[in-house]
Amino acid sequence: MAIDYPLLGKKIQERRKELHKTQEKMAELLSVTVGYVSQIERGITKVNLDTLSKIAEILECDVTEFLKGVGENSKIYLFEEMNGIFAALNGTNKKILLEIAAILQKNQE
């Protein structure tokens, strides 16, 4: 299964922030640098399963919470991110984005 690492990192970051933990604290508990934690959260570094398991333990959750929906073949792949972008747009830009999406959909048929 191909993993969407930016989405995985976003989920890790959101959970970390829910628990009011800093990247510095995460780095300390993982015995890594703050830069490494930042790279994981931005999806730059491909985190291995052992590290992901340690992150889940630190963030008091099951590793499956991070993996759910991050497969590139998942039906909800990028849905949350796209929804967030769309919600932040003004009315005019929402209409433009919908028109672009309609053109892309038509061209793929």
Side-chain angles (χ1 to χ4, degrees), residues 7 11 68-71 73-81:
L7 182 57
K11 288 181 169 206
K68 186 177 179 182
V70 298
N73 294 326
S74 171
K75 289 183 180 181
I76 61 170
Y77 173 66
L78 294 180
F79 178 77
E80 289 179 5
E81 186 173 351

Side-chain angles (χ1 to χ4, degrees), residues 28-102:
E28 178 186 327
L29 294 170
L30 289 169
S31 300
V32 298
T33 66
V34 175
Y36 184 71
V37 172
S38 175
Q39 289 177 353
I40 291 171
E41 290 184 356
R42 291 181 288 141
I44 294 170
T45 295
K46 294 181 178 181
V47 62
N48 65 41
L49 192 54
D50 288 336
T51 302
L52 187 60
S53 179
K54 289 176 189 174
I55 291 170
E57 184 178 323
I58 291 166
L59 298 179
E60 304 166 14
C61 65
D62 192 271
V63 72
T64 57
E65 286 186 41
F66 297 131
L67 294 174
K68 186 177 179 182
V70 298
E72 290 184 359
N73 294 326
S74 171
K75 289 183 180 181
I76 61 170
Y77 173 66
L78 294 180
F79 178 77
E80 289 179 5
E81 186 173 351
M82 187 65 174
N83 194 36
I85 291 169
F86 188 78
L89 295 174
N90 65 31
T92 301
N93 287 336
K94 284 180 181 177
K95 183 174 175 147
I96 292 169
L97 184 57
L98 285 173
E99 290 172 0
I100 292 169

